[in-house]
Amino acid sequence: PPSPSLRLNRLPTMFSSELVFRSLKLDEAALRTAKHILHLDASHGPSSVIAHGAKALFAELGKTRPDVQVEHVHLWDEATRAKLEYNLDHVRSKMAMLSGSSSAEDVQRFAGIEALAARAATARGLVVSVPMWNYGAPYVLKQYFDCILHPGLTFRETPTGPQGLLGAGRPLVVLTSSGGA
């Protein structure tokens, strides 16, 4: 019998079609020439411990890598929250876009999601500053990822599994926390 990995490679992809950016024009080169770090900030404000930690990190980054730009997304800001609005009308628009039967209204409805997804897909890296709420992350962080993770926008489905677009290279995950007894 074939090995489990060979059977896995024969499975069909999960998504039979992918979205493409409609309200923005991005090409493959834009996705592969990442120039910025995307900072997702879910802190309680500029005086929070989380914000102070992020500020120290970016101050050091600015000294050691002045060529790297940082784009901040404040997840609690009203303008960001408006783009994170995602309801059944958005789902219908997404399905219409996937099937090729979208209207200008569908594209417009999805434009805020595309703008957020483009910032993530074209980033060199991602830094998340988030406090712990009841042993988990605040809902606004999960909502952000629920809104931007779409096939074709922030990842591609391949025969060997999903391939992320963020960073155009090897992922590095660093987690830090403090507190407790």
Side-chain angles (χ1 to χ4, degrees), residues 76-160:
W76 293 112
D77 283 355
E78 288 301 316
T80 303
R81 302 285 307 133
K83 289 179 186 174
L84 291 174
E85 175 65 31
Y86 195 85
N87 57 39
L88 287 177
D89 288 334
H90 289 86
V91 173
R92 287 183 198 97
S93 292
K94 175 184 174 180
M95 293 299 127
M97 290 164 59
L98 284 169
S99 71
S101 62
S102 62
S103 66
E105 183 181 356
D106 291 322
V107 172
Q108 181 58 40
R109 182 177 294 120
F110 217 72
I113 300 297
E114 285 187 358
L116 291 171
R119 289 178 81 178
T122 60
R124 172 185 241 172
L126 178 66
V127 173
V128 180
S129 301
V130 59
M132 182 184 291
W133 281 14
N134 300 319
Y135 301 104
Y139 73 90
V140 71
L141 181 65
K142 182 184 181 309
Q143 182 181 18
Y144 172 83
F145 285 116
D146 284 344
C147 287
I148 70 157
L149 295 177
H150 296 282
L153 299 186
T154 47
F155 68 93
R156 289 206 167 75
E157 189 70 26
T158 69
T160 58

Side-chain angles (χ1 to χ4, degrees), residues 8-144:
L8 178 64
N9 288 339
R10 291 187 199 154
L11 293 175
T13 59
M14 179 180 281
F15 301 99
S16 59
S17 61
E18 294 183 338
L19 292 170
V20 295
F21 287 99
R22 305 275 172 98
S23 63
L24 303 166
K25 298 297 177 203
L26 290 179
D27 58 15
E28 193 68 26
L31 296 173
R32 298 293 169 219
T33 57
K35 296 194 180 356
H36 68 277
I37 300 290
L38 184 62
H39 174 220
L40 301 180
D41 182 357
S43 68
H44 296 107
S47 62
S48 74
V49 172
I50 301 300
H52 283 286
K55 185 177 177 182
L57 172 76
F58 292 124
E60 189 62 30
L61 179 66
K63 288 183 217 170
T64 59
R65 291 295 308 271
D67 59 312
V68 175
Q69 300 170 357
V70 178
E71 290 186 15
H72 301 276
V73 176
H74 300 280
L75 296 176
W76 293 112
D77 283 355
E78 288 301 316
T80 303
R81 302 285 307 133
K83 289 179 186 174
L84 291 174
E85 175 65 31
Y86 195 85
N87 57 39
L88 287 177
D89 288 334
H90 289 86
V91 173
R92 287 183 198 97
S93 292
K94 175 184 174 180
M95 293 299 127
M97 290 164 59
L98 284 169
S99 71
S101 62
S102 62
S103 66
E105 183 181 356
D106 291 322
V107 172
Q108 181 58 40
R109 182 177 294 120
F110 217 72
I113 300 297
E114 285 187 358
L116 291 171
R119 289 178 81 178
T122 60
R124 172 185 241 172
L126 178 66
V127 173
V128 180
S129 301
V130 59
M132 182 184 291
W133 281 14
N134 300 319
Y135 301 104
Y139 73 90
V140 71
L141 181 65
K142 182 184 181 309
Q143 182 181 18
Y144 172 83

